[in-house]
C-alpha cells in the first residue's frame, strides 16, 4: 500500500489541483500532496533495510493475466534514493514557485504533480508494462509544461523533446517486446515482470537477439539520460522550459535508473559484453568532455547549465560501465547528487532571469552585490557542480573515476580532462554574472524571497550534508551495486 | 512548409495534359486487360464438360426462385433494405430545395 | 461448344472498357454508365460460370447484382443531379475543391 | 596522552568558527573576529602540546580513523611531520588573524573575511592532519576554494574576481593530476586486493599505501610504446598537484595575480597555508617518491628551475607584493629541491625541506604583513612611488629588514649565529652539493647558488626602494596599529632565532617520521627500489661550499645597495622597454600571453569550445533535418491527391495491376 | 434456426423503420425525439449483442454465422453507431430531415453488422453494398454544401468502382470453385491456389475491401470524403465502415482464401507499409483537422493490416482489439471535430473551412471538455500509454515482433513516432495558442458522445483484460477457419 500511496497521491492530487480555482488553492493543494509524499517516503526510508539488495515493500496484483501484465511495485536500494530525491525536492519546488505569478496556476501545479507521480511510478514499477506506462506518462506533463510556460522557442523545443524522446521510448519498447517474447518462448507463460524477464534474459539462445534487445533498451535509456550524441533535445528543452520545468527535467532520473536497474543485470549475458561496456563507457566519457566544452561555449547561463547537465550525466554511463561496485554506486550517487545540484542551478537561472530579464552571461554582472543570498547559494552549488570535495558532486565523481579506472583507463583519462574545463565554465560564469562591477542597466534587482531562500537553502544544505556524509544513501547503493557486480563475477566481464 | 513551385502534382498534371487523359487511361486499361486475360487463359477452368445438361434444364426459373427463398434468402432480405435505403437517400438528395 | 474462356474474355474486355471509360470520361453520367458496364460484365461472368457449373447460385447472384446496380445508380444519379443543380454542369474533373 | 585525543579538534574548531562567524559575525563587533581567533588559538595550543609530547616520545603517533563510505575513511594522523606543520600553521594563522583585526577593520564584509580565513585555516589543518590521501585531497580542494573566495574577496573589483578564477583554475589543473594520481593509486590497490577489500581496510590510508609500495613499484603498463611504472606515474601525478598548489613552474602563474585579495590573505596563502600544501604533499608521500625512479629527479630539477626562474622575475617587479610573490615561488622551488635531493640524502630531505618551509612561513608572513602595514598606511604598493618609509614606520621597517635578512639567508656557517632562513636554505644547498658529489650532476647546485644571489638582490632592492632614500611621491603614512605591530614583532623574533634554536633537533625529529614512527619505512630499501644510491654521510663539505651561500647573499645585498641605495648605476637605461631582457622579465616571460591569452582563450575557449559548438549544431541539424525531410515528403505526398476523381480511379486500377505483377514476381522469386 | 440470434439486427431494422415512420408525422421542432429513439434502439441492439457473446452457430442455410468474431465487430459497429447517433441529436437539431439521416445511418450499421455475420460471399457483397449505398447518401447529406456533395460524389464513384472490382473478383472465385459460400471456397482452396486467376481474385478483393479500409492506393477518396462529408458521417465512415472492410477482409482472406495465404500476405505487407507511411507523412502538414484525421485513419488502417501479415492468434487479437479501440478513438476525434465545427458555424455561418486547425486555437479554454476529450483521443491515436490506442498497439506490435516480423514492427513504430507530431500539433493548438473567441457552452449531446468515447478509450486502456480476451476469441474463430 505504501508504494501505491506514494505513486498515486500525486496523481490523485493532480486531478484535485486541476479543479481548483485560485493560485492559493492550487499551490496549497500541491504542497499538501508533495509533503505527504515526502512524509511517506521518509517513513519508507526508515523502514528500509539497506543491508540487502532484495526488493522491499512489494505489492502485487494481477492486471492483464492473458498477457502477463500485473500491477507490481517494489523498491530496492537503486530506486529508494531516487524516490527520496524526488520527494525531497518536489515540495521545495512548490515552495520555490510559491509567490510566482503565472497564468493557469492550477494546471501548472497539476502538471508538476503528474510528473512526480509518473517519475515515482517508474522507480517503483516492477512490471515492464507499468514501467513503460509511467515512463511515457512523464512525457506529457513536461511537454505541456514547456509548451505553455516556456521561453520564446517553446514550441520548437517542446515538440523536439516530445518526439525525440518518444522515439527513444518506442525503441525501448521494441526491446521490451523482444525480451518479453523470448522469455515467453522459453518459459511458455507470458510475463512482463521485470525481475522475471531479467532472469530469463540469459536463456535466450540467439546472441544477436540478446544484443539487439540490450541495445534497444540501452538506446531508450541513454536518450532520456541523455548522453552524447543523443542529447540534442536537451539544451532546447532544458533552456526553454520554465524554471520549475527545468527542475522537473532534472528530477527525471529515469534514464539512469533504467541503466542500473535493467541494463546492468543484463550486461554480462549479452553476446559481447565487452563491446557493450565499450559503448557505454565511451559514450559516457565523451559526454563528459563534450558537454563540458559545449557548456564553456555557451553565452546563455541556462544553456550552459543544460550542457553541464549533459556533462554530468556522462558519469552515470561511465560509472555503470566501470563495473566496480564503487563506480556503479558512484554513478547512482551521481544521479542523486546531480538532481540536488542542478535543481538549484536551474532555480538560480530562473531567479536571475526573472530579476534582470536576461540570461546572457555577458549582460549580467556584479549580481552578488544586490543578491547576496543568491550569491552564497550559487557559489556553493557551482562548487558542488564542478566537483568540489565536501559536496555531493565530488563523492559521485571520485567514486566513478576511481572505480571505473580499474577497468576503463582510457575513458577515465578523457573524463579527467574535462574536470578543468568544468571548473572553467563554472567559474567563468560566476565571475561574469555574479562578481565584478554591478551593471546599472540591469535595473534595481532584488534578492530571492523567503520561500525561494528556504527552498534553495534546504537543497544547498542537503548538498553539503550528503557531501560530507553520503552513507545514508550511498550505503544502499553500494549494497545493490555489490549485488549486481556479484552476479557478474565469473562471467568473464 | 517549403514553398514548392515544382511540386509533384504539377509534374503529374503537366504530363497528364501532355499525353491527354485518354492515352493514359488506355494504357492503364490495357495493362489491366492484359493481366487479367493472361491469368484467365492460364487458368484451367474445371467445369466445361457439364455445359449441355444445364442448357436443357427446364426448371431454371423455378430453381432460381427456390434458391432465392431458401438458401439465399438473407441477401434477398438485405436487398430490400438496400432498396429502401437507396430510395430514401436518393429522394433526399435529389429533392429540390425542400418546401421552397 | 463454346469454351468458357470466351465468355470470360468477353466479360474482361467489357470490364476493361468500363474501366477505360471510368478513367477518361468527364461527364458524370457517362461514368455511371461505365460502372454499369463493369457490373454487367461481372454478370456475364456469373451467368457463364453458373451454367458451366451447373448450379444456380450465379444466376441468383446476377439478379441481386442487377438490383444493387439499380439502387446504386439511383443514389448516383441523385448525387449528380444535386451537383448539376449547384454547378450547372457535371464535368466531374472540374469538381475538385477537396484536394491535397 | 590526553591531549592527543583532542587532536581532531585542531581542524574542527576553526571549521566551527567559520560557521559561527559566517552566520553570526555580522552582528558582532569587528566582524566576530574573536571567534576564529579563539578557535585557532585553541588549536594552536593543542598542536603545540602534541608536538611537545611527540618531541618527548616520537613513537606516540596519534592515528584515529572512521569509515566514510565504501572502502574509504576519514581520520587523523599526527606524527612529527604533521605536528610541526600543525603548530606552524595554527601559529602563523593566529598571528595573521590578530593582525587582520586591525588591517581589515574598515571593511564592511569583515565577518565574511574572518569566516573565510577561518575556513581556510581549517582546510589546511585538515589537509595536514589527514591520515589518508583522499581526505588530504578533499582538504586540498577546500584550500583551493578558500583561496578562490579570499582572493576574490573584493569581488566587486573585476581584477579580483578574475584573479580568483585564475588561481582556482590553475591550481585545478594540478588538482586534476593529483586526482588522477589518486585514481590510479586506487585502482592499483584495488587490483592488488583483487577486487575484494576486507572489512576494516581503508585502502587509501597512508600506512596502507606505504605498505604496498614494493608491489606498486613492480607494476607497469605500456602506454604509447613506453613502459610506464605505476609508482612513477602516481608520484608524478601527485607532484603535478603539488606544482599547482605550490606554484611551481609552469603552474605558478596564479600566485602573483593572487595579490588582488587583501594583503593578509596573501600572507596566509604564501606563508601558512595553500602553497605549502604542495610541499607537504610530497613530504607526506615521500616514501613513494623514494621508490619511484625518476620522480624525485623531476621534483628536484623542477624545484631548482623554479627557484631561479621566479627569482629573475622578482628582480624587475615594481609592485611590492609581486616581488614577494615571486620570492615565494622561488623559495618553494628550494623546498622542492630539498625534497628532490632526497635521492642523495634519503629521509633527511624531508627534514631540511620542512625546516625551510617553517622558517619560510615565519619570515614570509613577516614580509607580507610588513608590506601590508606599508600598504595600509600609505595606500599604494608600487615601490616607485615610495621611498624613505622607514622614517614614518620604524617598527615595520625594522621587522621587514629582519625578514629580508632571513630570506636572503645571512648567517655564519658552522655556528648557531644566523637568521632562520640561513640554516634551512644552507642545508638545502648543501644537500644539492651532496647530490652533485654523489654523481647526480652539478646543475642543481649551480642553480640553487645562482638563485640565492638573485634572492638577495631582489629582496634588498625592495628594502632600499621602499624604506630608504627620499620619498618619491607625497604619501601620507603613520605607524601601524598595535594589533598589527605585535604580530610583526613576534614573527620578527621567530625569523631571527627560530632557525638557530631548533636547527639541531628539527631535522632528525621530522625525518624520523618515516624511519622510526608510524610505518617504519626502510628508506634506503625504497631508494634501492627507486634505483638511487644514498650518500653515506653529510657534513664534510669543503669550507667554500659552506660559505658560498652566505657570500652570495651578502653580495646580493651589496649589489642592491649599490644600485638602489647609492645609485651608482643608472638603472634608467637598463629599465626600459627597449632592453629585450628587461622586457622579457618584465612581461614575465610572456606567460600571460602564452598560457592565458593563447592557450586558454584562443585554443581552449575559442578553438575547442567553439568547435564543439559547431559539432553540436551539426547534431542538431541532423535531428532537424530528419524532421524537415519528413515534413517535405508529406508535403510532396499530399500533392498526389489532385482532387480529380478520374485520377483516383486511375490510381486504383494501376494499383490493382501493379499489385498483381508484384505478387506474381515475388511468388516467382520465392 | 433461432431468430433471437439476429435480435440485434432485427432490433436495428425495427428501430430504423420506426424512426422513419414516426419521423414522417412529427413536426420539425420535435424531431429531436428521433435521436433518442435511435439511440435507445442502438443501445438495445448493443445489449442484445453483448448478451449473446459466446454464441457459436450458423444460421439461414449457413449463410450467416454468429460467433465471437461477428459479435465483437457488431459491438464495434453498434458502439460507433451509438456515438454517432447521440452526437447527431445536436447536429440534426432544427433540420426537417432527421429521419432520413438516422435511417440511413442505421441501415448502414445493419449492413456492417451483416458483413460481420456473413458466411457467404453473396451475403457479404450485398451487405457491403447496403452499408456503402446508405453512406453515399449520408456523405452528401449537406446537399447545399459543395464540399459535402463533392465528397459524396467521390465516395460514390470510387465506391462503385471498387464494388465492381470486388464483384468481379468474386465471380472468379465462383468460377473456380462453383460456390459463394466462404467455407465452400476454403474447401476448394487447392483449386484456387493452383490457378493464376487466384491472384487476380485476391487482388480484386483487396481492391474492393481496401477501398473501405482505405488502404493505399485505394485510399484516394478517403481524405477528400472525410474532409467534405459532415463530420459525424466521417466518424461513421472512419470508425464504422472502415472496420466493415476489415472484418470482410478477415473473413474472405483468412477463412476463405487461406490457401493463397502467401500471396495476400505479400500484398498486405506492401500495402500496410505504404499505407501507414503515406498516411502519417501526408498528415503532417494538413491544416484541415478532418483531413488530418483522415490521413491518420489511413495510418491506423495500415497498422491493423499488419495483423494479416503476421497472422498469429495474438496478432489477430491485436488487430481486432485495435479495430475496437480505433472505433472509439476515431469516432471520438471526429465527434470532437464536429463539436468544433458546430461551434464555429454557429458563430459565423459562412466560415469556409470550419474544421481548419486555426479554429482549434485556445480550445482548451473555449470548450474544455471537448478539448480534453480530443487530447485523450489524439494521444490514444498516437499510442500514449493507458489509452486504448496504446493497449492495442502493445498487443499488435508486440505480436509482430513475436512472429519475427521485427522489420515491420520497426516501420510501424517509426510511423507511430512520426504521427506524434501532428497529434501533438492539435494539442498544441488547443492548449498553447492564444484564442480569439470566448468560452462557449458545449452542446450536451456532443459532450455525452465524447464522454462515452473517452470512457471507452480509457476502459480499454486501463482494464484491457476482457477486451483482449474477446478479441483473442474472435481471432481464434478466424484461424479455426470459421465454424
Amino acid at each position: 500500500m505504501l508504494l501505491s500511496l506514494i505513486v498515486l497521491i500525486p496523481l490523485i492530487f493532480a486531478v484535485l489541483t486541476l479543479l481548483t480555482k485560485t493560485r492559493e488553492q492550487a499551490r496549497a493543494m500541491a504542497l499538501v500532496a508533495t509533503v505527504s509524499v515526502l512524509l511517506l517516503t521518509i517513513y519508507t526510508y526508515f523502514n528500509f533495510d539497506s543491508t540487502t539488495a532484495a526488493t522491499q515493500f512489494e505489492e502485487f496484483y494481477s492486471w492483464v493475466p492473458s498477457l502477463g501484465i500485473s500491477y507490481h511495485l517494489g523498491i530496492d536500494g537503486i530506486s529508494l534514493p531516487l524516490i527520496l530525491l524526488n520527494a525531497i525536492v518536489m515540495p521545495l519546488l512548490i515552495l520555490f514557485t510559491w509567490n510566482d505569478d503565472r497564468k493557469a496556476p492550477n494546471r501548472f501545479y497539476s502538471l508538476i504533480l503528474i510528473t512526480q507521480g509518473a517519475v515515482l511510478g517508474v522507480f517503483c514499477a516492477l512490471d515492464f508494462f507499468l514501467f513503460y506506462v509511467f515512463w511515457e506518462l512523464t512525457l506529457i506533463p513536461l511537454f505541456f509544461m514547456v509548451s505553455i510556460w516556456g521561453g520564446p522557442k517553446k514550441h520548437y523545443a517542446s515538440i523536439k523533446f516530445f518526439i525525440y524522446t518518444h522515439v527513444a521510448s518506442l525503441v525501448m519498447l521494441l526491446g521490451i517486446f523482444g525480451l518479453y517474447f523470448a522469455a515467453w518462448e522459453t518459459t511458455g507463460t507470458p510475463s512482463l515482470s521485470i525481475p522475471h524477464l531479467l532472469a530469463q534474459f540469459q536463456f535466450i539462445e540467439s546472441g544477436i537477439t540478446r544484443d539487439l534487445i540490450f541495445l534497444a533498451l540501452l538506446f531508450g535509456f541513454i536518450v532520456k539520460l541523455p548522453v552524447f550524441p543523443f542529447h540534442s533535445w536537451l539544451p532546447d528543452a532544458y533552456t526553454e522550459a520554465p524554471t520549475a520545468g527545468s527542475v522537473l527535467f532534472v528530477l527525471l532520473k529515469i534514464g539512469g535508473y533504467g541503466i542500473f536497474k535493467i541494463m546492468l543485470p543484463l550486461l554480462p549475458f549479452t553476446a559481447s559484453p565487452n563491446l557493450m561496456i565499450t559503448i557505454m563507457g565511451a559514450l559516457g566519457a565523451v559526454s563528459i568532455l563534450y558537454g563540458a566544452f559545449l557548456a564553456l561555449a555557451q553565452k546563455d547561463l541556462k544553456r550552459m547549465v543544460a550542457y553541464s547537465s549533459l556533462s554530468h550525466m556522462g558519469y552515470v554511463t561511465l560509472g555503470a560501465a566501470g563495473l566496480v561496485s564503487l563506480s556503479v554506486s558512484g554513478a547512482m550517487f551521481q544521479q542523486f547528487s546531480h538532481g540536488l545540484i542542478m535543481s538549484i542551478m536551474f532555480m538560480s537561472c530562473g531567479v536571475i532571469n526573472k530579476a534582470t530579464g536576461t540570461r546572457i552571461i555577458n549582460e549580467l554582472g556584479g549580481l552578488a552585490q544586490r543578491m547576496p543570498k543568491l550569491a552564497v547559494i550559487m557559489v556553493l552549488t557551482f562548487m558542488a557542480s564542478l566537483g568540489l570535495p565536501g559536496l555531493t558532486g565530488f563523492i559521485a565523481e571520485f567514486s566513478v573515476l576511481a572505480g571505473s579506472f580499474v577497468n576503463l583507463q582510457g575513458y577515465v583519462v578523457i573524463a579527467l580532462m574535462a574536470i578543468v574545463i568544468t571548473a572553467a565554465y563554472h567559474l567563468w560564469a560566476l565571475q561574469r554574472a555574479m562578481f565584478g562591477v554591478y551593471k546599472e542597466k540591469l535595473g534595481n534587482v532584488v534578492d530571492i524571497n523567503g520561500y525561494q531562500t528556504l527552498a534553495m537553502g534546504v537543497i544547498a544544505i542537503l548538498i553539503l550534508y550528503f557531501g560530507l556524509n553520503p552513507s545514508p544513501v550511498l550505503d544502499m547503493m553500494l549494497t545493490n551495486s555489490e549485488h549486481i557486480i556479484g552476479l557478474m563475477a565469473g562471467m568473464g566481464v | 512548409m517549403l514553398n514548392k513551385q515544382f511540386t509533384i502534382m504539377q509534374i503529374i498534371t503537366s504530363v497528364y495534359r501532355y499525353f491527354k487523359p485518354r492515352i493514359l487511361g488506355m494504357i492503364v486499361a490495357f495493362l489491366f486487360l492484359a493481366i487479367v486475360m493472361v491469368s484467365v487463359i492460364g487458368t484451367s477452368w474445371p467445369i466445361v464438360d457439364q455445359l449441355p445438361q444445364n442448357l436443357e434444364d427446364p426448371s431454371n426459373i423455378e430453381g432460381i426462385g427456390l434458391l432465392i427463398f431458401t438458401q439465399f434468402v438473407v441477401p434477398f432480405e438485405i436487398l430490400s433494405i438496400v432498396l429502401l435505403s437507396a430510395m430514401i437517400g436518393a429522394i433526399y438528395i435529389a429533392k429540390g430545395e425542400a418546401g421552397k | 461448344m463454346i469454351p468458357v474462356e470466351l465468355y470470360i474474355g468477353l466479360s474482361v474486355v467489357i470490364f476493361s472498357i468500363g474501366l477505360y471509360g471510368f478513367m477518361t470520361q468527364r461527364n458524370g453520367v457517362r461514368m455511371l454508365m461505365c460502372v454499369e458496364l463493369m457490373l454487367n460484365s461481372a454478370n456475364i461472368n456469373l451467368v457463364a460460370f453458373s451454367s458451366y457449373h451447373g448450379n444456380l447460385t450465379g444466376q441468383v447472384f446476377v439478379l441481386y447484382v442487377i438490383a444493387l446496380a439499380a439502387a446504386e445508380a439511383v443514389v448516383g444519379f441523385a448525387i449528380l443531379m444535386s451537383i448539376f443543380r449547384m454547378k450547372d454542369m457535371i464535368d466531374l474533373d472540374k469538381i475538385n475543391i477537396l484536394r491535397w | 596522552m590526553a591531549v592527543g585525543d583532542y587532536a581532531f579538534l585542531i581542524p574542527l574548531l576553526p571549521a566551527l568558527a567559520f560557521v559561527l562567524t559566517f552566520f553570526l559575525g555580522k552582528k558582532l563587533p569587528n566582524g566576530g573576529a574573536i571567534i576564529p581567533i579563539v578557535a585557532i588559538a585553541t588549536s594552536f595550543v593543542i598542536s603545540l602540546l602534541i608536538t611537545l609530547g611527540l618531541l618527548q616520545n616520537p613513537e606516540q603517533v596519534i592515528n584515529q580513523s572512521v569509515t566514510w563510505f565504501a572502502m574509504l575513511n576519514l581520520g587523523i594522523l599526527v606524527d612529527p611531520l604533521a605536528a610541526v606543520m600543525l603548530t606552524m600553521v595554527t601559529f602563523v594563522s593566529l598571528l595573521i588573524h590578530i593582525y587582520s583585526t586591525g588591517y581589515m577593520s574598515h571593511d564592511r564584509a569583515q565577518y565574511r573575511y574572518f569566516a573565510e580565513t577561518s575556513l581556510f585555516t581549517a582546510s589546511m589543518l585538515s589537509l595536514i592532519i589527514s591520515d589518508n590521501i583522499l581526505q588530504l585531497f578533499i582538504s586540498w580542494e577546500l584550500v583551493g576554494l578558500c583561496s578562490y573566495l579570499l582572493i576574490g574577496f573584493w569581488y566587486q573589483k573585476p581584477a579580483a574576481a578574475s584573479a580568483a578564477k585564475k588561481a582556482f583554475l590553475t591550481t585545478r589543473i594540478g588538482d586534476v593530476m593529483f586526482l588522477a594520481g589518486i585514481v590510479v593509486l586506487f585502482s592499483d590497490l584495488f587490483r592488488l586486493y583483487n577486487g575484494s577489500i576486507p572489512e576494516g581496510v581503508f585502502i587509501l590510508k597512508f600506512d596502507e599505501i606505504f605498505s604496498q609500495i614494493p608491489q606498486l613499484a613492480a607494476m607497469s603498463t605500456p602506454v604509447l610504446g613506453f613502459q610506464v611504472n605505476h609508482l612513477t606515474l602516481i608520484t608524478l601525478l601527485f607532484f603535478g598537484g603539488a606544482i599547482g598548489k605550490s606554484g611551481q613552474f609552469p603552474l605558478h602563474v596564479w600566485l602573483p595575480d593572487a595579490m588582488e585579495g587583501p594583503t593578509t590573505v596573501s600572507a596566509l596563502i604564501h606563508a601558512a597555508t595553500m602553497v605549502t600544501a604542495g610541499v607537504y604533499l610530497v613530504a607526506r608521500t615521500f616514501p613513494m617518491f623514494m621508490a619511484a625512479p625518476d620522480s624525485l629527479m623531476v621534483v628536484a630539477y623542477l624545484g631548482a628551475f623554479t627557484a631561479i626562474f621566479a627569482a629573475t622575475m622578482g628582480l624587475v617587479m615594481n609592485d611590492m607584493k609581486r616581488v614577494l610573490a615571486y620570492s615565494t615561488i622561488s623559495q618553494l622551488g628550494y623546498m622542492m629541491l630539498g625534497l628532490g635531493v632526497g635521492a642523495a640524502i634519503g629521509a633527511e630531505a624531508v627534514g631540511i625541506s620542512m625546516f625551510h618551509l617553517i622558517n619560510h612561513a615565519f619570515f614570509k608572513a613577516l614580509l607580507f604583513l610588513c608590506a601590508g602595514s606599508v600598504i595600509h598606511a600609505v595606500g599604494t604598493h608600487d615601490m616607485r612611488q615610495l621611498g624613505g618609509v622607514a622614517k614614518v614606520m620604524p617598527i615595520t621597517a625594522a621587522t621587514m629588514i629582519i625578514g629580508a635578512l632571513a630570506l636572503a639567508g645571512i648567517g655564519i656557517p658552522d655556528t648557531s649565529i644566523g637568521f632562520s632562513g640561513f640554516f634551512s636554505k644552507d642545508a638545502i644547498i648543501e644537500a644539492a652539493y651532496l647530490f652533485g658529489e654523489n654523481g647526480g650532476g652539478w646543475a642543481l647546485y649551480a642553480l640553487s647558488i645562482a638563485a640565492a644571489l638573485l634572492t638577495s638582490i631582489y629582496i634588498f632592492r625592495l628594502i632600499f626602494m621602499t624604506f630608504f632614500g627620499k620619498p618619491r611621491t607625497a604619501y601620507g603614512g603613520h605607524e601601524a596599529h598595535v594589533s598589527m605591530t605585535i604580530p610583526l614583532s613576534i614573527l620578527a623574533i621567530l625569523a631571527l632565532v627560530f632557525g638557530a634554536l631548533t636547527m639541531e633537533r628539527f631535522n632528525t625529529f621530522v625525518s624520523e617520521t618515516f624511519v622510526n614512527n608510524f610505518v617504519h619505512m626502510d628508506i634506503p630499501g625504497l631508494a634501492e627500489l627507486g634505483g638511487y644510491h644514498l650518500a653515506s654521510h653529510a657534513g664534510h663539505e669543503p669550507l667554500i661550499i659552506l660559505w658560498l651561500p652566505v657570500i652570495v647573499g651578502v653580495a646580493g645585498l651589496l649589489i642592491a645597495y649599490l644600485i638602489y641605495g647609492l645609485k651608482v648605476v643608472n638603472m634608467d637605461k637598463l629599465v626600459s622597454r627597449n632592453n629585450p631582457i628587461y622586457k622579457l622579465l618584465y612581461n614575465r616571460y610572456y606567460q600571460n600571453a602564452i598560457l592565458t591569452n593563447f592557450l586558454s582563450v584562443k585554443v581552449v575557449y575559442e578553438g575547442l569550445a567553439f568547435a564543439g559548438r559547431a559539432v553540436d549544431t551539426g547534431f542538431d541539424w541532423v535531428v532537424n533535418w530528419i524532421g524537415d525531410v519528413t515534413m517535405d515528403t508529406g508535403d510532396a505526398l499530399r500533392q498526389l491527391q489532385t482532387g480529380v476523381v478520374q485520377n483516383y480511379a486511375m490510381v486504383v486500377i494501376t494499383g490493382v495491376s501493379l499489385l498483381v505483377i508484384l505478387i506474381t514476381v515475388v511468388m516467382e522469386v520465392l | 434456426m433461432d431468430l433471437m440470434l439476429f435480435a440485434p439486427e432485427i432490433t436495428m431494422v425495427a428501430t430504423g423503420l420506426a424512426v422513419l415512420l414516426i419521423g414522417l408525422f412529427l413536426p420539425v421542432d420535435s424531431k429531436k425525439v428521433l435521436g433518442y429513439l435511435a439511440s435507445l434502439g442502438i443501445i438495445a441492439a448493443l445489449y442484445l449483442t453483448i448478451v449473446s457473446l459466446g454464441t457459436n452457430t450458423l444460421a439461414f442455410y449457413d449463410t450467416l454465422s454468429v460467433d465471437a468474431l461477428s459479435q465483437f465487430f457488431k459491438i464495434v459497429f453498434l458502439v460507433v453507431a451509438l456515438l454517432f447517433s447521440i452526437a447527431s441529436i445536436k447536429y440534426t437539431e432544427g433540420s426537417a430531415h432527421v429521419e432520413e439521416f438516422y435511417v440511413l445511418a442505421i441501415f448502414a450499421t445493419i449492413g456492417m453488422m451483416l458483413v460481420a455475420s456473413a458466411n457467404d460471399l453473396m451475403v457479404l457483397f450485398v451487405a457491403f453494398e447496403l452499408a456503402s449505398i446508405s453512406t453515399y447518401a449520408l456523405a452528401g447529406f449537406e446537399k447545399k454544401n459543395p464540399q459535402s456533395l463533392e465528397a459524396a460524389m467521390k465516395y460514390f464513384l470510387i465506391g462503385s468502382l471498387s464494388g465492381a472490382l470486388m464483384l468481379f473478383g468474386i465471380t472468379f472465385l465462383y468460377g473456380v470453385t462453383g460456390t459463394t459460400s466462404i467455407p465452400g471456397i476454403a474447401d476448394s482452396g487447392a483449386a484456387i491456389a493452383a490457378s493464376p486467376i487466384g491472384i487476380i481474385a485476391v487482388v480484386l478483393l483487396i481492391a474492393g475491401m481496401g477501398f473501405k479500409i482505405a488502404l493505399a492506393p485505394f485510399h484516394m477518396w478517403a481524405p477528400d470524403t472525410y474532409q467534405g462529408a459532415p463530420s459525424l458521417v466521417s466518424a461513421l465512415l472512419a470508425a464504422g465502415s472502415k472496420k466493415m472492410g476489415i472484418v470482410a477482409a478477415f473473413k474472405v482472406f483468412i477463412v476463405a482464401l487461406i490457401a493463397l495465404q502467401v500471396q495476400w500476405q505479400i500484398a498486405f505487407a506492401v500495402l500496410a507499409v505504404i499505407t501507414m507511411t503515406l498516411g502519417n507523412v501526408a498528415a503532417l502538414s494538413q491544416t484541415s483537422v478532418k483531413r488530418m484525421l483522415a490521413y491518420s485513419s489511413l495510418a491506423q488502417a495500415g497498422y491493423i493490416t499488419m495483423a494479416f501479415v503476421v497472422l498469429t492468434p495474438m496478432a489477430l487479437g491485436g488487430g481486432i482489439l485495435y479495430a475496437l479501440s480505433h472505433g472509439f478513438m476515431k469516432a471520438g476525434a471526429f465527434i470532437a471535430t464536429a463539436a468544433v465545427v458546430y461551434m464555429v458555424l454557429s458563430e459565423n455561418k459562412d466560415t469556409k473551412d470550419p474544421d481548419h486547425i486555426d479554429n482549434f486555437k485556445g480550445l482548451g479554454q473555449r470548450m474544455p471538455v471537448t478539448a480534453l476529450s480530443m487530447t485523450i483521443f489524439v494521444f490514444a491515436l498516437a499510442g500514449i500509454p493507458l489509452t486504448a490506442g496504446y493497449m492495442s498497439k502493445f498487443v499488435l506490435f508486440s505480436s509482430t515482433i513475436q512472429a519475427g516480423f521485427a522489420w515491420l514492427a520497426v516501420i510501424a513504430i517509426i510511423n507511430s513516432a512520426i504521427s506524434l507530431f501532428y497529434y501533438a500539433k492539435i494539442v498544441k493548438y488547443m492548449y498553447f495558442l492564444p484564442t480569439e473567441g470566448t468560452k462557449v457552452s458545449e452542446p450536451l449531446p456532443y459532450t455525452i458522445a465524447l464522454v462515452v468515447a473517452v470512457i471507452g478509450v480509457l476502459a480499454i486502456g486501463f482494464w484491457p483484460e476482457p477486451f483482449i480476451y474477446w478479441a483473442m476469441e474472435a481471432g481464434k474463430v478466424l484461424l479455426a477457419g470459421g465454424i
Side-chain angles (χ1 to χ4, degrees), chain C residues 1-27:
Chain C
M1 188 189 70
I2 306 167
V4 74
E5 279 87 348
L6 289 188
Y7 290 101
I8 305 171
L10 174 68
S11 108
V12 172
V13 169
I14 295 176
F15 195 89
S16 301
I17 292 170
L19 286 179
Y20 168 75
F22 196 89
M23 284 184 281
T24 53
Q25 296 303 316
R26 294 175 178 174
N27 190 299

Side-chain angles (χ1 to χ4, degrees), chain B residues 5-25:
Chain B
Q5 293 304 318
F6 56 98
T7 55
I8 294 177
M9 177 261 158
Q10 279 164 343
I11 297 170
I12 288 174
T13 20
S14 56
V15 169
Y16 186 81
R17 287 206 186 105
Y18 181 76
F19 278 111
K20 305 284 183 197
R22 277 151 212 278
I23 297 174
L24 208 59

Side-chain angles (χ1 to χ4, degrees), chain D residues 84-85 88-89 91-93 95-96 124 245-248 254-255 259 265-280 306-307 310 321-336 351-369 399-400 402-409 419-426 428 455 458-459 491-492 494-500 502 506:
Chain D
V84 169
M85 279 292 281
M88 181 278 284
V89 170
F91 180 64
V92 174
S93 176
L95 290 182
I96 291 173
M124 190 64 199
K245 271 285 186 294
S246 289
Q248 298 296 289
W254 64 274
L255 243 183
M259 296 301 121
V265 170
S266 307
L268 207 50
I269 290 177
H270 288 252
T273 57
M274 185 97 177
V275 294
T276 54
V279 179
Y280 180 74
T306 308
K321 285 166 78 177
R322 271 186 197 273
V323 175
L324 293 178
Y326 281 110
S327 142
T328 305
I329 299 174
S330 176
Q331 295 303 310
L332 288 165
Y334 272 112
M335 294 171 211
M336 288 297 180
I352 58 171
S353 184
M354 294 309 292
F355 191 36
H356 191 53
L357 191 153
I358 303 281
N359 286 332
H360 174 256
F362 291 139
F363 65 67
K364 189 48 68 64
L366 174 61
L367 286 170
F368 262 109
L369 294 184
T399 49
M400 187 142 185
I402 293 173
L405 288 167
L407 171 63
F419 293 92
S420 61
F422 162 72
F423 297 101
S424 51
K425 193 171 31 171
D426 218 32
I428 291 174
T455 306
Y458 68 68
I459 191 62
L491 283 169
L494 281 171
L496 210 56
V497 302
F498 183 78
T502 59
F506 192 95

Side-chain angles (χ1 to χ4, degrees), chain E residues 114-136:
Chain E
L114 286 166
V115 168
S117 269
N119 200 31
D120 188 291
L121 288 184
M122 205 185 296
V123 178
L124 189 132
F125 181 73
V126 176
F128 209 90
E129 287 294 310
L130 171 58
S132 298
I133 290 172
S134 309
T135 45
Y136 295 153

Side-chain angles (χ1 to χ4, degrees), chain D residues 151-170:
Chain D
I151 294 170
F153 180 72
W154 288 315
Y155 57 81
Q156 303 89 331
K157 278 165 52 187
S162 168
K165 181 194 68 179
K166 188 172 181 178
F168 198 62
L169 271 186
T170 315

Side-chain angles (χ1 to χ4, degrees), chain D residues 362-385:
Chain D
F362 291 139
F363 65 67
K364 189 48 68 64
L366 174 61
L367 286 170
F368 262 109
L369 294 184
C370 290
S373 276
V374 173
I375 294 162
H376 194 67
V378 302
T380 176
H381 34 72
D382 190 335
M383 296 190 293
R384 285 169 300 187
Q385 297 175 9

